[in-house]
């Protein structure tokens, strides 16, 4: 438990640092005037620039600005949008339901990917250098080298309703989806799964591509351990060796990798959201970037870093559950 | 590091198992590419300061010489034995040369204004030409020759890709080696900072920077390169950490050599193997990042273009049947990234020459 407490503290420290870094990146690289020009356009009155700069705290020193922003964050206020179409609207309202929709979009394929990647890697390791292993390794390697965008475009083109009748002919997510809010969204996804099969499958494939090679490698490492040889020597069946002796220890590195790949999965989800027009954080970020809406992108980046830290923490918890040694050793 | 990559699985059978176990020992990995002429298993000191090329260092004296020729030659031999990696190098060279110099041989007019008077539009159902003798890869819906556009966009995609990878490696190697070599509180601070950067999803970090920076080639190189080095830094730090306490580094210190000398003469040359491998993967990653940006409409601003923007534009026409806007480019692209991954794997094996030569 001390180990987990230590990791939690570490996570909190990381988050605090991330908030400083992400805040400084846009605020130190441009001047308040440049931001005001970008947001209000070049034809606005000079007084409007001044008002905008003052209202958004841009005329203070950066520690003051940061403190103001952090104080707001701690009180659930994510700042005001710079988007010309929704100028001054609280970012919290803009992000709102998008966050939960993205959450429900990312989590199921990630769990499914682990459930696919672990047996896949295990079987590959047991059939090492056999046709199955070669085919799977090649497929995973190609998948790993395919840009998410291209994968989505190809899936949209070829996995159509005529091939897979459960799909919706539209190919992208229903526009009604953006009116469904947080808690109701899982039910909405279940009832309209014909829209969500493809984007979730795309995320599943990308994540499997990243994970199964590690599972294969880690299972290969485990296979040459002495206790596996002993188990085989005493006549344990292949399936018993596979599930009793190899599965658990080789899962440990995969859990670490999964924790570390949360940022990669989120980046991949961004592109899939854009390709399938899924109303989530990804699309909002892209739109906000194009409109120089710094507060919105800042808030989203911070939320997703938070998700990453939580993901790493969950991976640590899983490690403790899978690997009993960690409970006693802890880490300095 | 104890993970066997899919490109180069453990080859051989039970007879090689002991050999394979040896590979898995942490020490075997730590001593990777230190000196191929000496077998560290028997506790021999490697010659002081022999850089990988063998130039300038002491000639190897004593010990078992397990292979012939210089280390570079040995590594080259192992690398050349890997047919797939050699094919990947050739493929990457061809694509790079074609993108940079292809327009000397095949030079259609890519100007959007000239498109109207060009031969791309025809009376077919979708209104523009597919693959034909005049346009080997067909045309885009805007009336621009696809092959010419692949060369043009490829030139800028590759420029951004190669230079971003260079930026990534420069930052990552410097940061990691300083952190690992200095150690102490500086190491703690730098690595905590690195943890923070690693917790920010890469693409989101790039988008955050792009809210304030323009989409010029230089801007994108700095953004992609500047956000890609965190993993490399961590890798290089581990490498520096394991190299700085080796006997030869201690010997330099004992003889009064400065820290700078140890870094330049010993740590840097000896960690080049890890760096080269990481650099190859960095190239693939930065090209993938640029493609993602292009697809999101945030790639190189017009009149320049990149492969991601082409995929975005092609995806709009794909549904009406113009497969030639996606497939040729897609295959060229996937093979290119695949090549970087294969070469990275092969390099890693080649640098483990000492382990393979047994």
């Amino acid at each position: 438990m001390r180990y987990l407490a230590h990791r939690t503290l570490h996570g909190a420290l990381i988050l605090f640092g991330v908030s400083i870094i992400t805040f400084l990146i846009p605020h130190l690289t441009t001047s308040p005037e440049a931001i005001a020009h970008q947001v209000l356009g070049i034809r606005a009155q000079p007084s409007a620039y001044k008002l905008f700069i003052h209202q958004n705290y841009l005329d203070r020193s950066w520690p003051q600005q940061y403190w103001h922003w952090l104080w707001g964050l701690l009180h659930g206020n994510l700042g005001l949008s710079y988007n010309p179409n929704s100028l001054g609207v609280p970012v919290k309202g803009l992000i709102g339901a998008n966050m939960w929709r993205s959450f429900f979009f990312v989590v199921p394929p990630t769990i499914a990917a682990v459930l696919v990647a672990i047996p896949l890697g295990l079987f590959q390791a047991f059939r090492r250098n056999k046709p199955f292993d070669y085919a799977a390794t090649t497929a995973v390697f190609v998948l790993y080298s395919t840009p998410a965008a291209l994968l989505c475009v190809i899936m949209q083109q070829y996995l159509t309703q005529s091939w897979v009748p459960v799909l919706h002919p539209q190919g992208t997510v229903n526009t009604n989806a953006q009116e469904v809010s947080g808690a109701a969204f899982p039910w909405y996804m279940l009832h309209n799964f014909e829209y969500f099969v493809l984007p979730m499958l795309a995320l599943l494939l990308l994540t499997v591509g990243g994970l199964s090679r590690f599972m294969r490698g880690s299972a290969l490492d485990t296979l040459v351990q002495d206790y596996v040889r002993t188990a085989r020597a005493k006549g344990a069946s292949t399936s018993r060796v596979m599930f009793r002796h190899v599965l658990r220890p080789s899962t440990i590195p995969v859990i670490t990798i999964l924790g570390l790949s949360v940022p990669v999965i989120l980046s991949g989800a961004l592109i899939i959201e854009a390709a399938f027009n899924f109303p989530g954080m990804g699309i909002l970020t892209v739109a906000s970037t194009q409109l120089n809406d710094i507060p919105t992108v800042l808030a989203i980046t911070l939320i997703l870093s938070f998700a990453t830290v939580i993901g790493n923490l969950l991976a640590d918890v899983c490690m403790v559950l899978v690997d009993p040694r960690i409970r006693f050793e802890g880490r300095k | 590091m104890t993970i066997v990559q899919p490109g180069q699985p453990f080859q051989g059978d039970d007879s090689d198992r002991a050999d394979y176990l040896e590979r898995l020992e942490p020490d075997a990995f730590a001593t990777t590419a230190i000196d191929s002429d000496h077998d560290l298993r028997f506790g021999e000191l490697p010659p002081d300061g022999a850089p990988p090329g063998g130039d300038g260092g002491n000639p190897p004296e004593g010990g078992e010489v397990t292979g012939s020729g210089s280390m570079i030659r040995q590594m080259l031999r192992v690398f050349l034995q890997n047919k797939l990696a050699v094919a990947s190098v050739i493929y990457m060279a061809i694509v790079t040369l074609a993108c940079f110099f292809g327009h000397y041989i095949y030079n259609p007019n890519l100007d959007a204004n000239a498109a109207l008077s060009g031969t791309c539009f025809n009376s077919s159902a979708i209104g523009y030409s597919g693959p034909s003798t005049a346009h080997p890869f067909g045309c885009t819906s805007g009336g621009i020759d696809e092959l010419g556009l692949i060369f043009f966009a490829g030139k800028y995609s590759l420029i951004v890709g190669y230079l971003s990878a260079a930026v990534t490696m420069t930052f990552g190697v410097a940061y990691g080696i300083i952190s690992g070599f200095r150690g102490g509180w500086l190491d703690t601070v730098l690595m905590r900072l690195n943890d923070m950067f690693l917790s920010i999803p890469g693409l989101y970090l790039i988008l955050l920077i792009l809210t304030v920076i323009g989409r010029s080639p230089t801007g994108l190189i700095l953004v992609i390169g500047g956000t890609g080095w965190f993993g490399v830094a961590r890798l290089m730090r581990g490498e520096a950490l394991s190299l700085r306490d080796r006997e030869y580094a201690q010997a330099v210190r004992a003889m009064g050599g400065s820290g700078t000398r140890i870094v330049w003469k010993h740590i840097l040359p000896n960690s080049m193997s890890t760096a080269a491998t990481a650099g190859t993967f960095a190239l693939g990653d930065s090209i993938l990042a640029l493609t993602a940006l292009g697809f999101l409409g945030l790639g190189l601003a017009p009149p320049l273009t990149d492969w991601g923007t082409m995929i975005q534009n092609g995806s709009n026409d794909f549904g009406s049947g113009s497969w030639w806007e996606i497939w040729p480019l897609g295959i060229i692209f996937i093979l290119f990234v695949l090549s970087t991954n294969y070469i990275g794997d092969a390099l890693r094996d080649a640098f483990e020459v000492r382990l393979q030569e047994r």
Side-chain angles (χ1 to χ4, degrees), chain A:
Chain A
M1 282 306 107
R2 254 184 72 192
Y3 172 69
L4 288 181
H6 175 85
R7 298 303 297 167
T8 313
L9 199 68
H10 182 250
L13 179 75
I14 294 283
L15 267 183
F16 179 63
V18 166
S19 77
I20 297 181
I21 293 169
T22 50
F23 182 83
L24 290 187
I25 286 173
H27 287 93
L28 283 190
T29 44
T30 48
S31 63
E33 288 76 21
I35 296 177
H37 272 267
Q38 276 178 336
V39 173
L40 299 176
I42 43 169
R43 269 179 249 166
Q45 296 289 325
S47 58
Y49 290 144
K50 272 201 178 132
L51 187 67
F52 175 83
I53 289 172
H54 184 71
Q55 277 178 342
N56 288 289
Y57 273 73
L58 295 174
D59 50 354
R60 320 290 162 84
S61 70
W62 77 258
Q64 277 176 312
Q65 286 186 46
Y66 172 73
W67 180 245
H68 172 72
W69 180 68
L70 187 71
W71 191 249
L73 273 186
L74 296 175
H75 290 78
N77 173 15
L78 300 177
L80 303 176
S81 170
Y82 288 179
N83 178 346
N85 306 320
S86 55
L87 194 61
V89 171
V91 170
K92 197 178 174 187
L94 284 181
I95 296 177
N98 284 331
M99 187 173 83
W100 292 108
R101 282 194 291 262
S102 280
F103 177 79
F104 292 121
F105 166 61
V106 170
V107 171
T110 308
I111 295 173
V114 177
L115 297 181
V116 171
I118 286 180
L120 180 68
L122 197 61
F123 281 111
Q124 274 180 274
F126 269 80
R127 306 254 184 293
R128 181 172 48 80
N129 295 349
K130 300 260 166 59
F132 171 76
D133 182 30
Y134 280 127
T137 306
T138 312
V140 165
F141 229 59
V142 170
L143 209 54
Y144 187 73
S145 306
T146 307
L150 194 60
L151 182 70
C152 291
V153 169
I154 290 172
M155 282 175 72
Q156 277 171 322
Q157 175 70 14
Y158 294 104
L159 291 180
T160 53
Q161 205 185 14
S162 52
W163 282 75
V164 193
V166 293
L167 297 176
H168 194 270
Q170 191 175 308
T172 52
V173 170
N174 193 350
T175 42
N176 295 337
Q178 57 187 324
E179 282 143 32
V180 186
S181 61
F185 198 68
W187 300 112
Y188 182 82
M189 284 174 103
L190 275 180
H191 287 294
N192 299 278
F193 71 97
E194 67 269 26
Y195 291 104
F196 298 102
V197 173
L198 275 194
M200 288 177 124
L201 183 65
L203 189 57
L204 172 82
L205 285 177
L206 283 183
T207 315
V208 168
L211 283 183
S212 75
R213 52 197 248 148
F214 288 105
M215 182 62 196
R216 178 182 180 275
S218 140
L220 276 180
D221 284 357
T222 316
L223 272 176
V224 294
Q225 297 291 325
D226 287 341
Y227 61 84
V228 175
R229 196 173 48 193
T230 311
R232 278 190 164 156
K234 75 179 187 191
S237 69
T238 308
S239 63
R240 190 181 159 86
V241 170
M242 198 190 287
F243 293 111
R244 294 279 305 193
H245 299 275
V246 179
L247 178 61
R248 219 180 192 202
S250 30
T251 312
I252 293 168
V254 178
I255 294 175
T256 318
I257 294 291
L258 182 68
L260 291 176
S261 33
V262 173
V264 182
I265 296 173
L266 290 174
S267 298
L270 185 153
I271 296 167
I272 296 171
E273 284 187 10
F276 287 94
N277 210 11
F278 182 95
M281 304 271 261
I283 283 202
L284 183 63
T285 315
V286 176
S288 305
T289 305
Q290 280 159 339
L291 295 167
N292 306 105
D293 188 353
I294 297 170
T296 308
V297 183
L298 198 55
I300 294 176
T301 311
L302 198 65
I303 290 172
L304 294 179
S305 306
F306 183 69
T308 305
V309 170
I310 296 285
N312 284 335
L313 218 53
L314 281 180
D316 285 332
V317 173
C318 289
M319 291 274 277
V320 173
L321 294 180
V322 174
D323 188 351
R325 284 169 302 178
I326 294 173
R327 263 175 245 170
F328 302 110
E329 280 174 17
R331 225 181 76 181
K332 280 274 157 76

Side-chain angles (χ1 to χ4, degrees), chain B residues 278-340:
Chain B
T280 326
F281 291 126
L283 174 63
D285 288 345
S286 44
I287 292 181
L288 280 176
L290 177 68
T291 308
L293 289 179
F295 182 73
L296 298 174
L298 294 163
L300 290 166
L304 303 182
T305 188
D306 58 86
W307 282 341
T309 311
M310 282 182 72
I311 292 176
Q312 167 64 48
N313 294 337
S315 72
N316 295 331
D317 309 327
F318 204 17
S320 52
S322 62
W323 53 268
W324 55 87
E325 282 184 68
I326 291 292
W327 277 113
L329 171 62
I331 291 170
I332 290 173
F333 186 95
I334 293 176
L335 285 180
F336 194 86
V337 180
L338 209 55
S339 299
T340 62

Side-chain angles (χ1 to χ4, degrees), chain B residues 263-277:
Chain B
V263 168
W264 285 103
K265 285 273 186 184
H266 302 277
I267 294 188
L268 215 50
N270 278 321
S271 56
M272 271 308 116
S273 55
T274 313
T277 313

